[in-house]
Amino acid sequence: PMPEELLQRPKSKALDADNLEGLGPEAQKALKEAAAAKEKKQEEKSAKQAAKEQAKLLRQYRPEDEVDGRRKTSKKILANRGLVRQRKKQAGNAKVANRRKYEQRLKRRKGAVQDMREGATDGTYEGEATGVRTHLKKSMRLG
């Protein structure tokens, strides 16, 4: 909430912390606080900008210093991989790759072979749980 004095003052004259004549103590205090907040915000902004510039300088490429004799080999030079295509996560891990293959083959087999269902252990037969399909033949012709 702004004091009424600030709202009734003519707009032509610039209000700032240096030009406070003819204003009450509340208005002067409000203007001083606003000026202090503005200055603080500008300082924060300039500090943020400086930090950004510093980070930009750190990211820039800096060639190695020249020394007498042979230069040290970097990890990149020692690896000497060149251009290598991107691979899936499981490509480098044989255990994971074989596990995926096994799971796929199990799914494929479930479509071809029905799982064995165990009956009661006491020897009593209660019939097929899903019913007997009379039209279905799963035997193979020999000859």
Side-chain angles (χ1 to χ4, degrees):
M2 290 288 244
E4 291 78 27
E5 300 167 21
L6 289 176
L7 297 174
Q8 294 170 357
R9 189 174 171 98
K11 303 279 183 188
S12 61
K13 290 187 179 179
L15 287 175
D16 57 2
D18 300 330
N19 185 13
L20 299 175
E21 320 141 357
L23 295 176
E26 281 185 25
Q28 289 179 357
K29 185 179 178 184
L31 276 176
K32 284 182 181 178
E33 287 176 1
K38 183 179 179 182
E39 192 175 319
K40 183 181 178 189
K41 192 167 187 174
Q42 282 179 339
E43 287 175 6
E44 288 175 357
K45 194 173 182 181
S46 62
K48 191 174 181 181
Q49 186 70 24
K52 210 173 187 182
E53 290 292 324
Q54 187 69 24
K56 190 176 180 182
L57 286 174
L58 289 174
R59 283 194 310 264
Q60 286 180 349
Y61 172 74
R62 289 182 299 284
E64 298 172 10
D65 297 330
E66 292 200 20
V67 290
D68 294 335
R70 297 176 68 153
R71 66 182 175 148
K72 293 179 183 174
T73 52
S74 66
K75 188 175 182 180
K76 190 174 182 181
I77 291 172
L78 286 172
N80 192 20
R81 287 174 57 93
L83 292 174
V84 180
R85 70 176 178 81
Q86 291 285 350
R87 288 183 171 83
K88 296 175 186 168
K89 278 187 182 179
Q90 65 209 31
N93 190 344
K95 185 178 178 182
V96 174
N98 288 328
R99 179 73 194 164
R100 297 282 165 262
K101 281 185 193 175
Y102 173 72
E103 287 171 358
Q104 286 177 341
R105 299 222 164 86
L106 267 185
K107 286 178 192 173
R108 199 179 304 161
R109 188 175 190 282
K110 282 181 185 176
V113 179
Q114 193 173 24
D115 285 341
M116 181 72 181
R117 283 179 275 170
E118 297 293 326
T121 55
D122 59 355
T124 57
Y125 179 67
E126 296 176 354
E128 293 295 315
T130 57
V132 178
R133 293 182 283 178
T134 56
H135 65 280
L136 183 68
K137 294 178 188 173
K138 287 210 169 183
S139 59
M140 293 184 71
R141 287 203 163 210
L142 301 174

